[in-house]
C-alpha cells in the first residue's frame, strides 16, 4: 500500500512523517510518498524572471522543504519517494497526487484547529478530507 504524506516544513507535518514512518515499520509493505506543493507564482512575484528560472527556484524550495522529512524516513529505514508539485490550491493537488499515484491513504499534519475554525480559515487539511477518495489521517 502507498501512503501519501504532504509536507509543508512545519512541525505539524514532521509529526505526520514520524507517524507514517511508524506505520511503515508496523506494516512492512507500506511505501510512503512525500509531496510538497509549492504555490503557483503570481505575475507580481515573478516580474522580469524567466519562466524556467521560476520553476527551478520553486522546485529547489520544495526539495529544501522535503529534506528533513526525507531524512526522518531514511534514518528510520523506510522506503519512500518525494515529489514537488506546483499548484494554486494545495488541497486539490494533494487529492490529485493521491489519486494518480494509487495511494490508499493520506497522512497529514493539522494545525490543531477545531472543525469550525478550520472551515472558516479554509484549512488545507479540512479540504483534503472532503476531496480525497481515500481515508485521511490527521496528526496533531
Amino acid at each position: 500500500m502507498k501512503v501519501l504524506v504532504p509536507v509543508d516544513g512545519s512541525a505539524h507535518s514532521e509529526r505526520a512523517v514520524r507517524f507514517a514512518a511508524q506505520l511503515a515499520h508496523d506494516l512492512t509493505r507500506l511505501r510512503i510518498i512525500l509531496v510538497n506543493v509549492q504555490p503557483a507564482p503570481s505575475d507580481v512575484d515573478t516580474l522580469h524572471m524567466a519562466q524556467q528560472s521560476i520553476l527551478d527556484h520553486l522546485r529547489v524550495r520544495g526539495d529544501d522543504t522535503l529534506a528533513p522529512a526525507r531524512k526522518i524516513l531514511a534514518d528510520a529505514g523506510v522506503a519512500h519517494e518525494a515529489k514537488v508539485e506546483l499548484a494554486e490550491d494545495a488541497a486539490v493537488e494533494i487529492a490529485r497526487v493521491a489519486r494518480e499515484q494509487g495511494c490508499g491513504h493520506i497522512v497529514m499534519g493539522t494545525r490543531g484547529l477545531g472543525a469550525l475554525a478550520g472551515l472558516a480559515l479554509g484549512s488545507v487539511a479540512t479540504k483534503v478530507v472532503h476531496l480525497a477518495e481515500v481515508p485521511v489521517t490527521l496528526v496533531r
Side-chain angles (χ1 to χ4, degrees):
M1 179 168 74
K2 295 179 191 176
V3 173
L4 183 68
V5 183
V7 175
D8 65 3
S10 69
H12 306 287
S13 68
E14 182 178 314
R15 283 194 293 275
V17 171
R18 291 184 188 284
F19 180 84
Q22 184 59 50
L23 282 178
H25 278 292
D26 295 345
L27 306 168
T28 57
R29 298 182 60 162
L30 188 72
R31 196 165 112 228
I32 295 177
I33 300 173
L34 301 172
V35 66
N36 173 259
V37 180
Q38 290 290 311
S42 70
D43 291 339
V44 173
D45 293 337
T46 60
L47 191 61
H48 304 297
M49 291 179 71
Q51 182 69 15
Q52 191 58 49
S53 294
I54 296 165
L55 296 176
D56 291 345
H57 170 73
L58 291 173
R59 295 216 183 275
V60 167
R61 190 166 69 184
D63 287 339
D64 289 347
T65 301
L66 287 166
R70 294 191 79 171
K71 182 173 180 357
I72 289 168
L73 296 177
D75 289 350
V78 175
H80 65 280
E81 61 184 89
K83 306 173 91 28
V84 175
E85 301 291 341
L86 307 176
E88 300 221 1
D89 188 324
V92 170
E93 190 65 10
I94 290 164
R96 183 195 66 77
V97 170
R99 188 173 46 256
E100 286 187 3
Q101 292 294 314
C103 295
H105 199 124
I106 298 171
V107 174
M108 64 187 298
T110 178
R111 301 237 188 288
L113 300 173
L116 185 59
L119 288 173
L121 296 174
S123 166
V124 173
T126 300
K127 194 168 181 181
V128 168
V129 168
H130 291 285
L131 293 173
E133 299 170 0
V134 296
V136 178
T137 299
L138 301 178
V139 179
R140 289 181 117 183

